[in-house]
Structures are given as structure tokens and as C-alpha cells.
Amino acid sequence: MTFLRTAGRQIVDESGTPVRLRGVAVGGWLNMENFITGYSGNESLMRGTVREVLGEERYELFFERLLTAFFGEDDAKLLADLGMNCVRFPVNYRHFEDDSKPFEFKKEGFRHLDRAIEACARHGIYSVIDLHALPGSQNHHWHSDNPTHRPAFWDHPHFQDRVVAMWEHIAEHYKDNPWVAGYNPINEPADESRKVVGPFYTSLVNAIRAIDERHILFLDGNTYSTEFDVFDEPWENTVYVAHDYAAPGLGGGGDYPGLTDGRYFDKAALEAKYAERTEYCRRTGTPVWVGEFGPIYTGDERVDAMRRQLLADQLEIYRREDAGWSIWMYKDLGRQGLVMVRPDSPYLKRFGDFVAKKVRLGADQWGSDGLGVPEVIKPFHEMMATEFPDFDPYPWGRFDWVRTLILNLTVAQPLAYEYAELFRDLTDADLVALADSFALANCDVRTTLRDQLVAG
């Protein structure tokens, strides 16, 4: 096995043979997300409330079993059988370091990540290591394990210094592993000032390169990997990662082709947005890798047929442009994943009503229309629009700001305690059965998505 590297617009192996990285992100595993595994709020809040109910020993039993079941040899084999050659592994910094002990790295921090990378390697699959949640949170939302709506990472050099040290630690661990395609050091940074992210990237790249010159760096642009003006001349052996979610495929999406939020979307619109998001790559002659994309499915066949067409159009664009990709995502409760936990599983039997309540209240941002209970929330949106018509907060405007504060924090956080209470009085056998619901043998494959990814 040889290390991958960049060569102009392509990623190649050491013989110079082009390698178009295509695969999935294993979200919801080493960085847990509410809509993926069914809890509410952010990961650290969920873990804390569940620990209070279960106690330390049984908390460890459940989460160790869950992490073991969620991704393993069978999952790697499935992806290889589908022709995938890359897996992106999102990781929460808390696997490496505790806030109470900054700069002190856990001996067991690499245990599950090593196991997954080795399983993928046995099936000919490269891995990309993605630090998805940074200390202080690098963006505004749940997926950076943010308990607020502010990304404090950019305000505090302490957090930034910890991430530099953490990546030195990661690079030292993997510098000789050719099955690691590279490092994705910051998922979806969102620096409103646009003054910190560029210099910080320079410091981070220099620190990693002092230890590891061989692995590719996969660098996300600012504002959730959509803006690349924070970069000057490209670094060597570096890919500038675009995230390419299409509005008609999201929670409030309309018909495709058709109108979403007053804009008309068809394939030409997708091509224009792709061209905008990859302009830096094309201008600098560096490879294009779409680090995240993919529609959300609804269970309504009319809508889902349009979502499949949207995905087909995106994949055709990437194929034509010779762009690599990593779809979001591999496994969940059925909203988006290639693999889905079965409705009759012990987990969904236990938590299905809770998940339905989250949906009714709009507690999860991903997949929601942002209204929750419309008779309650819609008047508040209207009041804000009337009273503050010029209020357009970073990153996604007034509507997202309101729903984040009211639904994804104010409503979601009390629900985290309700979720934890559903663990009360369960036996050890019950906990094992809940965790094992996420094992591939107990899940179904979304065959339509499988077939589209194979063709893509």
C-alpha cells in the first residue's frame, strides 16, 4: 500500500495512478448527532444526562457496546462490496481530551478509530480523519457539540492552542499509516469575523507538516465549507473541501425541479452552485472533493422521488467533473442514511415515540421545517420579521437564528432529560439490545440510495 497525494487536479497513488475518492461519512458514531441516533440536543448534554440515570459503570457498558456495534468489519465489507474506496470518520475532540484536563491526551482515545481504519484497510478502503467537534465549538450548531448558538472557538486562543496540540498528537499517531488518505482538521468552520480562521489554518498546517509531510490535508472553507476567500495560495498536497447541500433536499425543501424559499432549482441551478463552491479549486488547479452532500428523505414517495432525482443530478455533475465525494451519511434511524435501524428494533421500540415527539416539536434542526408547532412558532417568526426586518445574523439569517434558539436549544435541551429517563430501570441485557440495534446485521439498506451510489 502506498500513500496518496495530490497531483494537479487529481489525487494519485505513488505510482501516479489517479484515485477518485468516493464514499460515505460515518456520522453519529465518534461524533454523535441528535437526528442520527435519536437523542435531543447536543452530544455532551445527552451523555451527561444518560450518565446521571445509568451511573458510570452501566453508562460505559451502553456506550462502549454502541460504538462497537455501530461500525465494524461488516460495515467496511458492505462499503467495499458497493465499490466505495473512502470513509470519512467524524470525531469529537472529547475522545482525545477532557475539558477538565486540557493538553492531556487519553491513552484510549484512538481505540475505536484505529479499529475502524484497520477494518477499512482490510477491505481496500482509505480513511479521512475529520475533527468534527472542536473545543469551544467552531460553528453554531449541534454537530459541533455546541450547547449554545455561539462558536466560542474563534474567541479564545486557549481553544485554538488545544486543537493545534491535538492535531500534532493525531499526526504523530497516523503519520506512517498509508491507509489514512489524510486529515480533515476542522469540519465546517464558521468565523464571522473572517479574521481568525485564515491565520489559524496557517498555524495548524505548519504544526501538522512539522510532523507529517505525507498525508493529504483536506481543508474546509469558512462558513460551513462554502467560502474559500480565507485562503491565499494553496498549500502543497492539500485538497480544499466543498460541502454541497442543495436547498430542495433539506428539511424545508420544495419540489425539484421547482421552488424552494422563492428560488427555482433545477440541474442548471445545482451546476451553478457547484461551480461557485468549487471556484477556488478550479482556479488554483487543485483537486475537487465534495466532503458532504446528500438529500434528506421524508417517507413521502412523491417527495423522495424528487430527492432521488436531485441526488442523481448531483452525482452526474461530480462524475462529469471527475470530483471525488463523501456523502452524508452512512447509518441512522432512517432520515438520510444508506443503512437504517429497523423500525421493529429494540432501540426504536423504546425510543420511537420520543423520536416522534422530537419531530412534532421540531427539536432537531436537520430535517425540520423550522416551525415545530406552527401555531406557536410561526407568529414568533412573523413578529421578528416585522420588528427586525433588517436583522440578518451570520451564518444563515434570521429564520435559522430564531429556530436555533427556540427549537434547537430551548425545546431540545429539556427533551434531553426526557430521553435519559427512558434508560431508567433497564437491565444490562436491555442496554446491550438497544446498542446492538445499530449493528449492520440488525439494520436495513436503503436500496435506492445504494444503487445510486454504486452508479455514481
Side-chain angles (χ1 to χ4, degrees):
M1 194 55 213
T2 60
F3 284 85
L4 298 182
R5 60 182 173 84
T6 65
R9 291 290 308 276
Q10 294 179 316
I11 294 172
V12 300
D13 64 20
E14 289 184 12
S15 72
T17 302
V19 178
R20 181 172 170 246
L21 295 177
R22 294 166 294 105
V24 299
V26 185
W29 181 48
L30 295 181
N31 185 71
M32 294 186 177
E33 297 194 34
N34 46 40
F35 76 98
I36 297 176
T37 53
Y39 68 86
S40 182
N42 59 298
E43 180 178 359
S44 56
L45 173 63
M46 177 273 291
R47 282 178 171 268
T49 56
V50 173
R51 182 186 278 111
E52 284 294 316
V53 169
L54 289 179
E56 189 65 30
E57 184 175 338
R58 302 181 72 241
Y59 164 90
E60 291 292 344
L61 167 69
F62 173 72
F63 281 98
E64 177 64 18
R65 185 77 175 207
L66 177 61
L67 294 182
T68 302
F70 198 102
F71 192 88
E73 195 79 30
D74 290 347
D75 300 279
K77 182 179 185 303
L78 170 68
L79 293 171
D81 289 345
L82 298 183
M84 304 294 102
N85 64 1
C86 182
V87 171
R88 179 174 177 246
F89 288 112
V91 185
N92 191 312
Y93 78 94
R94 298 175 194 274
H95 285 280
F96 302 122
E97 178 195 79
D98 288 326
D99 289 327
S100 60
K101 299 177 180 179
F103 302 101
E104 185 176 319
F105 299 114
K106 301 177 183 180
K107 292 181 180 179
E108 72 277 12
F110 291 106
R111 184 164 46 90
H112 283 290
L113 186 57
D114 281 348
R115 177 176 61 80
I117 289 171
E118 290 164 7
C120 287
R122 284 191 290 272
H123 294 278
I125 296 174
Y126 292 99
S127 298
V128 172
I129 301 167
D130 153 36
L131 196 61
H132 214 79
L134 278 58
S137 300
Q138 75 279 10
N139 59 46
H140 304 68
H141 295 108
W142 78 99
H143 48 87
S144 61
D145 197 10
N146 193 338
T148 76
H149 69 297
R150 299 295 301 168
F153 176 82
W154 307 108
D155 297 328
H156 298 280
H158 167 80
F159 293 139
Q160 298 159 27
D161 291 345
R162 284 167 62 185
V163 168
V164 170
M166 196 172 301
W167 269 109
E168 290 173 333
H169 177 63
I170 296 169
E172 184 65 40
H173 186 80
Y174 288 111
K175 64 182 180 180
D176 296 321
N177 190 334
W179 282 108
V180 174
Y183 310 136
N184 192 185
I186 312 175
N187 175 70
E188 297 191 333
D191 172 20
E192 182 173 4
S193 75
R194 295 176 169 83
K195 296 177 181 178
V196 182
V197 60
F200 177 71
Y201 260 134
T202 298
S203 299
L204 186 57
V205 168
N206 289 339
I208 294 172
R209 286 299 187 223
I211 295 168
D212 182 351
E213 295 183 344
R214 289 188 291 185
H215 281 104
I216 297 171
L217 296 181
F218 293 84
L219 303 187
D220 283 18
N222 196 33
T223 311
Y224 296 69
S225 209
T226 63
E227 298 173 354
F228 296 85
D229 56 352
V230 298
F231 299 113
D232 296 319
E233 291 300 310
W235 283 291
E236 291 185 5
N237 204 26
T238 299
V239 173
Y240 295 85
V241 181
H243 288 189
D244 194 30
Y245 290 107
L250 302 182
D255 286 356
Y256 179 80
L259 292 174
T260 293
D261 294 331
R263 292 183 56 201
Y264 185 80
F265 286 87
D266 57 9
K267 189 176 182 181
L270 299 184
E271 290 178 320
K273 182 58 71 174
Y274 169 84
E276 173 188 319
R277 290 171 173 168
T278 60
E279 185 275 335
Y280 178 87
C281 303
R282 290 178 290 105
R283 174 165 49 84
T284 57
T286 53
V288 174
W289 192 63
V290 180
E292 290 186 21
F293 70 107
I296 296 168
Y297 301 97
T298 66
D300 180 328
E301 178 53 28
R302 188 191 77 85
V303 174
D304 288 352
M306 290 187 286
R307 302 282 166 101
R308 292 192 294 271
Q309 183 58 55
L310 184 154
L311 178 61
D313 287 348
Q314 286 188 300
L315 288 170
E316 194 282 325
I317 294 168
Y318 305 158
R319 189 165 54 248
R320 173 167 27 98
E321 296 293 322
D322 198 30
W325 47 260
S326 174
I327 196 167
W328 191 267
M329 58 181 196
Y330 174 56
K331 184 183 288 184
D332 67 358
L333 297 181
R335 181 162 291 177
Q336 195 170 14
L338 170 64
V339 170
M340 305 171 289
V341 172
R342 291 177 185 145
D344 62 351
S345 65
Y347 192 88
L348 279 176
K349 285 182 178 178
R350 185 71 177 180
F351 295 102
D353 289 344
F354 175 82
V355 171
K357 181 174 181 177
K358 282 202 306 169
V359 171
R360 177 172 59 83
L361 296 177
D364 295 346
Q365 186 182 63
W366 200 242
S368 166
D369 62 6
L371 293 176
V373 181
E375 59 268 29
V376 175
I377 304 303
K378 190 174 181 180
F380 195 89
H381 278 294
E382 292 171 347
M383 182 272 290
M384 291 292 293
T386 300
E387 298 291 344
F388 306 102
D390 298 324
F391 182 54
D392 186 27
Y394 179 88
W396 307 127
R398 182 182 60 240
F399 186 90
D400 180 76
W401 188 83
V402 169
R403 73 167 174 176
T404 297
L405 286 166
I406 293 182
L407 297 177
N408 312 137
L409 296 178
T410 302
V411 171
Q413 291 186 4
L415 279 168
Y417 297 88
E418 188 172 316
Y419 174 83
E421 282 299 317
L422 290 169
F423 285 88
R424 194 171 297 280
D425 300 325
L426 294 178
T427 67
D428 288 359
D430 292 332
L431 295 176
V432 168
L434 292 179
D436 283 354
S437 297
F438 288 87
L440 181 60
N442 300 322
C443 294
D444 293 324
V445 174
R446 191 188 303 274
T447 56
T448 54
L449 180 54
R450 175 200 65 196
D451 294 345
Q452 286 190 281
L453 296 182
V454 169

